[in-house]
Amino acid sequence: MMFTSTGSRGLYKAPLSKSLLLLPTVLTVLLSVLLPQYQDLFIYNLQVVRQGKQFWRLVSGRLICLDLKDTFCSSLLIYNFRIFERRFGSHKFASFLFGAWILSAFVDLLLIEALRFMFELKVDVLPAGLLGPVFALFVPFYSSIPRVQVTQLLGHVSITNKSLTYIVGAQLLTSSAYMWVVACSGLIAGMLYYSNKLAVQKLLHVSGWAARCGSVLLEPVFSDSEPTAEAPLGMGATLDIQRQQRMDMLDQQLLLSQLAHLRRNAQQQQAQTGLLNWNRFFPTLRHRGQNRHHEGPQPQQPPYMHPPDNTAVAEEQVARLMEMGFSRMDAQEALRASNNDINIATNFLLQH
């Protein structure tokens, strides 16, 4: 599964995400345990911003969480959203966070004034921390991450590879009375920046020199070495489930290895034109796994007929892969090779 399988690579190639996990958490612990007398400086109080002109609270109050539960939930979400830093690079990821952080501050003020004017609801203090950009990341998460069903509960409730992230987001949403205001601000800011309405991506971005300075400061400290082995596979409760999970993992590893080998061969053949039909070289997972649990001689089966070179691919799946930034040719090749399995195709394209 695309979103969970990349998790086995930890924080590799995501130094900004790692810094956002460690630094705010350390500061939250310091303010909660060792320096509680300084917590007042980091309260996100909009009343003193309006009346006392303490505009610096729009910065200090939106950097560090003062609640350990909020810190834990936001850290889990940042860890899951690190996939965007890998996909777009640290510079673009930082620009998205910066743009969403600025926009959500303005939306916070607008929402508070709207609540005061329409419902006479006075909201002075909002939850502190880097919460606006965290909720803003749900916009690209919903739009660009494929939804793959994992299982069903009671035959009706679908559990997907994205369910856990939404559950953590819901937990963060219910952690305080006015967290929904911050959540709405973050989602609105994320939609504005992700859709590039009013050309906000040109106005609100991290400059090149700032990105280079951040790279010099963060990468030596927070960069990870490339993982040498995958994390162990989570096993099921019974021996049969464990065996099936192990066979599925081996099937996927073999398929990805063959895809990488065929791609290298295709690049070396300069005179070759057109798309390479990978289905000629190996059967699909469905045919490879059949008769796995049967013993003894089997009746003679007719040979497997491989699909022709022009095997059809679902245009909807091609479009979803192209929305992630992959070329149309690569998307079609990966879908043909994986028998139109968008999960395996996405895994291969992200890892090569």
Side-chain angles (χ1 to χ4, degrees):
M1 298 161 194
M2 191 274 296
F3 200 68
T4 56
S5 64
T6 54
S8 63
R9 298 169 67 87
L11 288 163
Y12 174 61
K13 290 186 177 179
L16 180 57
S17 298
K18 187 175 182 180
S19 64
L20 291 176
L21 283 175
L22 297 180
L23 293 179
T25 301
V26 171
L27 293 174
T28 299
V29 173
L30 287 176
L31 288 175
S32 301
V33 178
L34 300 178
L35 303 171
Q37 64 272 21
Y38 294 104
Q39 285 190 3
D40 182 68
L41 298 176
F42 298 92
I43 294 177
Y44 190 20
N45 193 326
L46 294 177
Q47 182 180 11
V48 297
V49 171
R50 293 191 305 267
Q51 299 178 0
K53 308 301 180 183
Q54 297 182 13
F55 296 107
W56 52 270
R57 288 189 181 271
L58 292 175
V59 177
S60 64
R62 304 179 67 250
L63 289 178
I64 302 174
C65 289
L66 299 179
D67 186 274
L68 292 177
K69 179 183 176 182
D70 293 349
T71 302
F72 178 74
C73 291
S74 60
S75 297
L76 283 179
L77 292 173
I78 290 174
Y79 181 78
N80 283 329
F81 292 146
R82 74 201 183 281
I83 188 175
F84 296 116
E85 183 176 4
R86 291 178 182 163
R87 181 184 300 176
F88 303 126
S90 298
H91 188 184
K92 289 185 178 180
F93 185 66
S95 295
F96 181 91
L97 294 177
F98 175 73
W101 187 73
I102 296 295
L103 290 173
S104 61
F106 286 102
V107 179
D108 281 343
L109 296 174
L110 292 177
L111 286 179
I112 293 303
E113 292 300 325
L115 291 174
R116 187 190 304 273
F117 177 76
M118 298 176 62
F119 304 103
E120 297 183 356
L121 179 62
K122 185 178 180 181
V123 180
D124 293 329
V125 179
L126 291 177
L130 198 68
L131 300 174
V134 170
F135 281 108
L137 285 169
F138 275 99
V139 175
F141 178 74
Y142 175 82
S143 302
S144 62
I145 301 299
R147 178 179 177 272
V148 180
Q149 179 172 319
V150 177
T151 186
Q152 282 190 337
L153 294 179
L154 304 177
H156 301 286
V157 181
S158 296
I159 303 298
T160 71
N161 57 327
K162 303 167 71 173
S163 298
L164 179 60
T165 304
Y166 288 131
I167 291 174
V168 177
Q171 182 67 32
L172 181 61
L173 180 63
T174 58
S175 64
S176 61
Y178 294 110
M179 182 65 76
W180 64 271
V181 177
V182 178
C184 290
S185 300
L187 292 175
I188 293 173
M191 287 186 288
L192 289 174
Y193 198 90
Y194 187 72
S195 61
N196 198 23
K197 297 296 184 181
L198 306 176
V200 293
Q201 293 183 9
K202 290 184 177 180
L203 299 175
L204 303 175
H205 66 278
V206 177
S207 60
W209 65 268
R212 288 189 294 270
C213 293
S215 177
V216 172
L217 295 175
L218 295 179
E219 288 191 359
V221 180
F222 297 106
S223 60
D224 286 341
S225 59
E226 184 173 2
T228 57
E230 292 292 331
L233 179 69
M235 289 289 116
T238 66
L239 184 60
D240 289 338
I241 294 177
Q242 293 178 12
R243 288 174 177 172
Q244 184 62 43
Q245 288 180 327
R246 179 65 62 183
M247 294 302 297
D248 290 342
M249 183 189 71
L250 293 176
D251 278 346
Q252 184 174 359
Q253 290 178 347
L254 177 61
L255 178 60
L256 292 176
S257 176
Q258 290 174 326
L259 289 174
H261 177 70
L262 290 172
R263 172 164 286 189
R264 288 194 297 268
N265 290 341
Q267 292 175 350
Q268 294 173 357
Q269 297 174 357
Q270 300 294 333
Q272 183 179 1
T273 58
L275 296 179
L276 182 63
N277 183 18
W278 292 333
N279 286 324
R280 296 178 306 187
F281 293 89
F282 50 90
T284 61
L285 296 178
R286 182 178 64 257
H287 289 84
R288 191 187 308 127
Q290 68 183 9
N291 299 327
R292 178 178 295 155
H293 304 291
H294 297 285
E295 298 180 355
Q298 299 293 331
Q300 184 68 27
Q301 297 292 336
Y304 172 70
M305 299 301 293
H306 296 287
D309 288 352
N310 59 350
T311 303
V313 295
E315 286 298 324
E316 179 182 357
Q317 295 179 344
V318 174
R320 290 172 67 181
L321 290 175
M322 291 177 65
E323 289 177 356
M324 301 180 201
F326 304 116
S327 67
R328 182 178 183 83
M329 179 177 296
D330 288 343
Q332 290 177 331
E333 288 179 355
L335 287 171
R336 285 194 177 95
S338 60
N339 195 29
N340 282 318
D341 190 321
I342 192 172
N343 182 30
I344 297 177
T346 308
N347 274 333
F348 174 75
L349 291 173
L350 284 174
Q351 297 177 15
H352 296 81

